[in-house]
Amino acid sequence: MTIDAAATQSFSHSGKMRNVFGLALKNALFSIITLTLYRFWARTSIRRRVWSRARIMGDSFEYTGTGFDLFRGFLISLPCFFLPAIFVFYIAPFMMAPTTAVWLTLGFYVFAVPLIAAARFWMRRYQLSRTRWRGIRLGLAGSGWSFAFASWGWSVLQGLTLGWYTPIARMNRARMLWENARFGDQPFEFVSDSEGDAKGLWWPFALGWFGPLLAWLAAWVVTIISAALIAGAAPKLLTHIQQPAMAGAIGIAAIIAILLLSLVFWLLFWAPYRAAAMNRIASMISLDGARFQLHAKTWSLFGVTLLGWIIVILSLGLLAPLAGLLQVRYVMNRLELIGTPRFAEIGQSIVEGPRAGESFADAFDLDLGVGMI
């Protein structure tokens, strides 16, 4: 059966900002009162609400994780990451010679690169093991350290090529994650074609690679044009600008405007690559012969990303789950399953899920506290 002839099932997400805003606000308050200790239970409550509003073929997903799972994972990571990090960044600079402290910091960053990759793997494994659909549990096989060292090698190649290996590295990471993913006892597949995994990613990546320079130039152009329009509309301002205090204030405002516009344009120039990579990865995932298809678009993805960053910055990170919800909802409402897996023949997962939570992922907040990202 061709893809065009196969039945298409659309994913959907019915979550609204108001469904999560009150819960996120309550969680933020409790986290402040408990000195962030409540964040493990806060994540769990947010995920249960977000999961329950994601649906496919009439059935919603179910999240079965607990706050104590995440807390136990944190206790495991405390002596392995948090305490060493506190020593390296806050104690070593005062106890050691400056040169020694600098080398210790650099060594810690080298260690953190594979650790972040391992954390991403363990986070995905935990979240999948606590996700059910139609009573069937998902899972993730394989080794987190294997993924970490492979990812570290790809990171080295990214550095040696000044970033140009990034599209291949991203597809390699996606392949390793999805080929180890399971729905019950049925493995996912990552299906390649003759055109290469990174097909369609190079020109969007080139735009993003030159993005910082283009964003800076665009910010200057917009600021200069805006200043000229304002001066033309209100010529009396020119007399006030000559005053030192007014000139200094306008100069500071112009610098802030250029920095903010540079960040906005930087997000915009990366949006085509992010959309292309998401669509390409989704198109290569298969479950029992059924394929996935995502319809991410540059402008809509840019808008969701920008709004999410605005929420995170203005709320000082306390309402980050709202930004996570926007991303999850964006993907789910544009995702399709082409074909139908033989669900009746799929048994329960034979991959044992972890007892503890996401451990090191809590240190990096890789999913904005929501998951499924």
Side-chain angles (χ1 to χ4, degrees), residues 230-231 234-242 246 250:
I230 293 174
K236 291 183 178 181
L237 288 176
L238 295 175
T239 59
H240 296 289
I241 292 176
Q242 296 176 357
M246 178 64 71
I250 292 177

Side-chain angles (χ1 to χ4, degrees), residues 74-93 96 101 104-105 107-109 111-112 115 360 363:
F74 166 74
L75 292 179
I76 294 174
S77 65
L78 184 63
C80 300
F81 178 81
F82 286 99
L83 294 181
I86 292 173
F87 176 80
V88 169
F89 293 109
Y90 299 103
I91 299 178
M96 298 180 175
L104 184 62
T105 302
F108 187 84
Y109 276 114
F111 169 73
L115 186 61
F360 299 103

Side-chain angles (χ1 to χ4, degrees), residues 110-111 113-114 117 147-157 173:
V110 171
F111 169 73
V113 170
F147 178 78
F149 289 121
S151 185
W152 182 83
W154 297 323
S155 297
V156 170
L157 290 175
R173 293 184 179 101

Side-chain angles (χ1 to χ4, degrees), residues 113-187:
V113 170
L115 186 61
I116 292 175
R120 187 176 297 279
F121 186 93
W122 293 328
M123 177 185 70
R124 180 71 64 88
R125 183 176 65 180
Y126 173 77
Q127 291 178 2
L128 289 179
S129 71
R130 265 56 172 188
T131 300
R132 293 178 182 269
W133 184 73
R134 290 187 172 181
I136 299 178
R137 180 170 62 86
L138 284 82
L140 184 65
S143 167
W145 288 116
S146 296
F147 178 78
F149 289 121
S151 185
W152 182 83
W154 297 323
S155 297
V156 170
L157 290 175
Q158 288 176 259
L160 293 176
T161 60
L162 301 180
W164 286 97
Y165 190 77
T166 297
I168 298 176
R170 180 164 186 169
M171 299 305 294
N172 288 343
R173 293 184 179 101
R175 173 181 295 279
M176 199 166 182
L177 285 172
W178 281 105
E179 287 185 341
N180 283 295
R182 305 286 187 270
F183 178 67
D185 59 0
Q186 179 68 40

Side-chain angles (χ1 to χ4, degrees), residues 36-45 66-67 70-71 74 362:
T36 74
L37 187 62
Y38 185 75
R39 69 182 184 274
F40 309 107
W41 288 267
R43 288 170 183 262
T44 299
S45 62
T66 67
L70 300 181
F71 178 65
F74 166 74
D362 177 66

Side-chain angles (χ1 to χ4, degrees), residues 257-272:
I258 290 172
L259 292 176
L260 292 177
L261 286 172
S262 296
L263 291 175
V264 171
F265 282 119
W266 180 76
L267 289 176
L268 176 59
F269 289 134
W270 271 114

Side-chain angles (χ1 to χ4, degrees), residues 132 150 189 249 258 286 289 342:
R132 293 178 182 269
E189 295 180 87
I258 290 172
S286 174
R342 295 166 294 181

Side-chain angles (χ1 to χ4, degrees), residues 17 264 267 299-315 319-320 322-324 326-327 329:
M17 294 284 281
V264 171
L267 289 176
W299 286 103
S300 57
L301 181 60
F302 164 70
V304 167
T305 304
L306 180 61
L307 180 57
W309 275 110
I310 292 174
I311 292 173
V312 171
I313 293 172
L314 294 183
S315 68
L319 297 181
L322 294 179
L326 291 175
Q327 293 187 32
R329 189 176 64 182

